[in-house]
Amino acid sequence: MDRNVKRAGSHDRTATQARTRRTRAAVIEAARTLFVERGYAATTIEAISEVSDTPQATIYRLFGSKLGIVKAVIDVSVVGDDEAVAMADRPQVRGLLAEPDPRDRLARFAAVLRDLMARAAPVHRLLADAARSDPDAAALLADIARQRQDGQRRVARSLARAGALRPGLRERDAADIIHALASPEVYGLLVLDRGWTGERYENWMAAILGDQLLA
């Protein structure tokens, strides 16, 4: 095959991928806004199509269903972008797990959590509302909780291996404490409902985790 033809084909694929990525981003941004404003049940594919200026057929092709859009919105909200890099592999997470001082490690964890929750907690709340009547939404919510717990176990494990946990506290119990305190529900109660600032939440989280977990 002629090299020019190969380059043209590669350029076309790159351009197509870029267009698809822009379309996905537009749909996700429109859906996030509508979900937060209207709630899950009241947000239709038609409305998302109108706000994102994307044909409904394209939305179904890219996401499959409204629940698929919610999953994409949450995925992007958790990591902050649409790059195919898991949260556990992000530099900020690798950095906090490598932090030698246990209290500084928890402070860095609280900072990451603050940013993550600011993006994800409002969407998580609407998914939790949908899960009360939608089995598929409930299954997605449970899967997200498992993923969150897996990540939080890494923090507990890193503290246990460093011998930093307070006497008598098992690694499993430490992971449970982190899972409970560093939850979207706690963030929603304190920040979304009670009006705490992100800074106050971060400082409190670092302090309470240190008090509960560390020797």
Side-chain angles (χ1 to χ4, degrees), residues 89-150:
D89 296 325
R90 298 272 165 160
Q92 62 269 38
V93 175
R94 289 182 175 274
L96 77 87
L97 291 176
E99 169 60 52
D101 183 271
R103 288 197 179 273
D104 287 345
R105 188 178 308 169
L106 289 176
R108 293 180 69 166
F109 174 67
V112 170
L113 193 66
R114 169 187 173 178
D115 290 342
L116 186 158
M117 288 297 177
R119 296 187 300 264
V123 185
H124 184 279
R125 176 170 280 188
L126 71 87
L127 179 60
D129 288 340
R132 295 189 178 96
S133 58
D134 187 326
D136 290 334
L140 175 58
L141 188 67
D143 185 57
I144 291 169
R146 284 192 294 271
Q147 293 177 33
R148 186 167 60 85
Q149 194 166 37
D150 287 343

Side-chain angles (χ1 to χ4, degrees), residues 23-200:
T23 300
R24 282 182 57 87
V27 172
I28 289 170
E29 181 60 29
R32 176 183 170 81
T33 299
L34 291 171
F35 283 140
V36 172
E37 289 179 353
R38 304 180 183 181
Y40 178 80
T43 299
T44 63
I45 297 290
E46 181 180 5
I48 295 171
S49 171
E50 291 177 357
V51 173
S52 65
D53 194 24
T54 304
Q56 293 186 49
T58 301
I59 294 177
Y60 280 111
R61 177 173 60 81
L62 293 175
F63 300 94
S65 65
K66 186 164 75 169
L67 195 64
I69 300 173
V70 173
K71 185 179 186 305
V73 170
I74 290 176
D75 287 345
V76 170
S77 297
V78 166
V79 300
D81 56 51
D82 63 349
E83 297 289 338
V85 181
M87 191 66 186
D89 296 325
R90 298 272 165 160
Q92 62 269 38
V93 175
R94 289 182 175 274
L96 77 87
L97 291 176
E99 169 60 52
D101 183 271
R103 288 197 179 273
D104 287 345
R105 188 178 308 169
L106 289 176
R108 293 180 69 166
F109 174 67
V112 170
L113 193 66
R114 169 187 173 178
D115 290 342
L116 186 158
M117 288 297 177
R119 296 187 300 264
V123 185
H124 184 279
R125 176 170 280 188
L126 71 87
L127 179 60
D129 288 340
R132 295 189 178 96
S133 58
D134 187 326
D136 290 334
L140 175 58
L141 188 67
D143 185 57
I144 291 169
R146 284 192 294 271
Q147 293 177 33
R148 186 167 60 85
Q149 194 166 37
D150 287 343
Q152 292 162 344
R153 285 196 189 103
R154 293 188 178 96
V155 178
R157 188 176 303 120
S158 73
L159 295 171
R161 288 177 175 174
L165 294 179
R166 61 180 171 79
L169 181 63
R170 299 181 302 171
E171 178 184 324
R172 176 179 177 179
D173 294 332
D176 288 344
I177 290 171
I178 296 172
H179 188 65
L181 290 173
S183 65
E185 290 80 9
V186 169
Y187 179 92
L189 175 64
L190 295 177
V191 178
L192 301 181
D193 295 341
R194 302 302 302 165
W196 280 28
T197 64
E199 182 180 10
R200 183 182 180 186

Side-chain angles (χ1 to χ4, degrees), residues 2 11-12 72 76 80 126 128 131 141 176 184 205 214:
D2 185 88
H11 176 76
D12 289 344
V76 170
L126 71 87
L141 188 67
D176 288 344
M205 183 60 66
L214 302 182

